[in-house]
Amino acid sequence: MIVATARRPKPPRRLAGPGLRGYKRRVFVSIHKRPVAMAVQRTFSILKPDVTRRNLTGAVNARIEAAGLRIIAQKRVHMTRAQAETFYGVHRERPFFGELVEMMTAAPVVVQVLEGEDAILAYRAVMGATNPEKADAGTIRKDFAISMGENSVHGSDAPETAAQEIAQWFAGNEIVG
């Protein structure tokens, strides 16, 4: 009689090293038996006035959550002119800056922190292209944006930007992931 014994699987390893600081790392084994690291990141999101005015916050958040991102902090605020000018300060010299500030202060917005595997790229994929006419079908901007100026959502473009934007709107104890 032959008896088979089961081997206990090894727990996932944690990766560390330069360039990985600030992210939790999870290791998965690919079909080729090589470890694949997935970064759990945080990113910043704004549901803009065109979304809140039309009561689409639930629909937009459903898309975000369906993409595997968790909303770990959220608040509805009426952005002041000073807050908008600070937040969009990188665009100060661009011709659309004044219009952007006016639009962002015209009605409440929902600011939120999202968390998930490669959250920055994942959220940018769900948002779609800035110009809704060029956005892929099924993205937030393709389905909900009114125009390029009223494009429904904002998302961070890099880990450093995400950290700055999150810090502008949330105290550490408000993020409860």
Side-chain angles (χ1 to χ4, degrees):
M1 173 181 212
I2 299 174
V3 177
T5 58
R7 294 179 69 187
R8 289 180 130 167
K10 292 182 180 178
R13 294 184 303 146
R14 296 270 182 208
L15 298 180
L20 303 179
R21 204 171 313 131
Y23 300 107
K24 297 175 191 170
R25 289 285 177 167
R26 294 189 183 153
V27 176
F28 298 92
V29 177
S30 73
I31 60 171
H32 302 291
K33 306 286 186 201
R34 286 179 271 175
V36 178
M38 303 292 281
V40 175
Q41 288 180 321
R42 288 181 176 174
T43 191
F44 180 75
S45 165
I46 299 179
L47 307 187
K48 295 181 178 181
D50 61 291
V51 168
T52 61
R53 239 189 331 262
R54 295 180 292 149
N55 294 318
L56 295 173
T57 56
V60 172
N61 281 335
R63 297 277 182 100
I64 291 168
E65 290 176 331
L69 297 167
R70 293 178 49 232
I71 301 167
I72 60 170
Q74 179 182 66
K75 55 186 165 183
R76 186 179 183 101
V77 297
H78 201 128
M79 200 179 285
T80 66
R81 179 173 217 50
Q83 287 172 322
E85 287 176 350
T86 298
F87 188 81
Y88 287 107
V90 297
H91 301 302
R92 188 172 302 279
E93 301 304 318
R94 299 212 175 163
F96 60 82
F97 179 74
E99 182 182 334
L100 176 61
V101 169
E102 289 299 318
M103 188 267 300
M104 292 301 292
T105 58
V109 299
V110 176
V111 294
Q112 36 194 30
V113 180
L114 311 177
E115 183 177 74
E117 302 290 342
D118 292 317
I120 294 168
L121 288 176
Y123 185 48
R124 294 187 73 74
V126 172
M127 286 192 309
T130 303
N131 183 343
E133 292 177 9
K134 295 180 180 176
D136 291 337
T139 61
I140 293 168
R141 287 177 172 154
K142 184 68 167 185
D143 295 344
F144 299 117
I146 296 170
S147 65
M148 190 150 153
E150 292 183 296
N151 61 12
S152 300
V153 289
H154 164 85
S156 303
D157 60 358
E160 300 78 22
T161 311
Q164 291 170 348
E165 293 173 345
I166 291 168
Q168 181 177 347
W169 294 99
F170 293 94
N173 65 350
E174 294 178 302
I175 302 171
V176 291

